[in-house]
Amino acid sequence: MTGATIWLTGLPSAGKTTIAYELAGRLRAEGHRVEVLDGDEIREFLSAGLGFGREDRHTNVQRIGFVAELLASNGVKVLVPVIAPYADSREAVRKRHQREGTPYVEVHVATPVEVCSVRDVKGLYAKQAAGEITGLTGVDDPYEEPESPDLRIESHHQTVQESAQALHALLTERGLA
């Protein structure tokens, strides 16, 4: 089976990881080899010691992109729910995949910051509002929205299952599912 990297970018609490795990279950049920490279787990193990400044965020994204391409080039569907706030970092990952001839799909989980701050899965928006943290992507740190992603999901207008289905349909259309 053909591997591919499916990168889900968006603000904190946009629904990236939830959609990725929903899609992963569906793909596994169809017999695909699937890995989810969760941003929080990567930070703990692969990118420990990196901060949240622009340079460290770029390094983090490049490390994840390298691992994703390596897995994808070996037949794994790699779901990457990672903020990756900078367009140039995401573009570098796309170019790595293109150079290697590995399928790459960019998905923008386009949930407005107002919705994300209500969801606030990890309590980050509350901590930022209380002055406990700074540098929160989309609030007091930049998030550069993808200009032309392969798919834009508005998770605040559909269920997790509908979001995963939209992504599955795109993968099917491209011969990747």
Side-chain angles (χ1 to χ4, degrees):
M1 286 193 182
T2 304
T5 295
I6 300 98
W7 197 291
L8 295 94
T9 179
L11 296 174
S13 297
K16 302 175 300 295
T17 302
T18 305
I19 294 166
Y21 279 107
E22 178 72 23
L23 180 61
R26 182 170 182 167
L27 291 170
R28 284 187 185 110
E30 294 173 355
H32 296 275
R33 293 171 53 210
V34 180
E35 289 294 335
V36 177
L37 298 182
D38 182 282
D40 293 332
E41 292 175 2
I42 295 290
R43 279 245 175 223
E44 184 178 348
F45 298 105
L46 188 63
S47 295
L50 290 181
F52 291 89
R54 185 178 178 109
E55 191 173 314
D56 280 359
R57 286 181 188 261
H58 179 76
T59 298
N60 184 49
V61 168
Q62 297 316 297
R63 288 179 183 176
I64 297 167
F66 173 80
V67 172
E69 195 286 320
L70 187 66
L71 289 167
S73 68
N74 284 282
V76 178
K77 300 290 187 297
V78 186
L79 305 176
V80 186
V82 173
I83 295 169
Y86 300 108
D88 60 344
S89 297
R90 295 189 306 264
E91 185 58 25
V93 171
R94 179 187 293 278
K95 284 182 177 165
R96 164 183 289 284
H97 282 72
Q98 287 172 339
R99 275 194 312 274
E100 300 298 327
T102 305
Y104 179 84
V105 176
E106 183 180 69
V107 179
H108 180 207
V109 182
T111 310
V113 68
E114 300 79 20
V115 175
C116 294
S117 65
V118 170
R119 290 180 180 172
D120 204 10
V121 178
K122 299 171 197 160
L124 297 174
Y125 292 93
K127 287 179 182 174
Q128 191 276 338
E132 296 172 26
I133 62 169
T134 58
L136 181 59
T137 302
V139 178
D140 60 353
D141 212 49
Y143 177 74
E144 299 169 357
E145 289 192 5
E147 290 181 16
S148 55
D150 297 289
L151 179 64
R152 194 175 311 275
I153 292 175
E154 296 188 359
S155 72
H156 54 297
H157 292 312
Q158 57 193 33
T159 66
V160 172
Q161 293 76 17
E162 289 168 338
S163 296
Q165 171 54 36
L167 183 45
H168 189 274
L170 175 66
L171 297 177
T172 301
E173 177 184 304
R174 294 196 177 177
L176 299 172

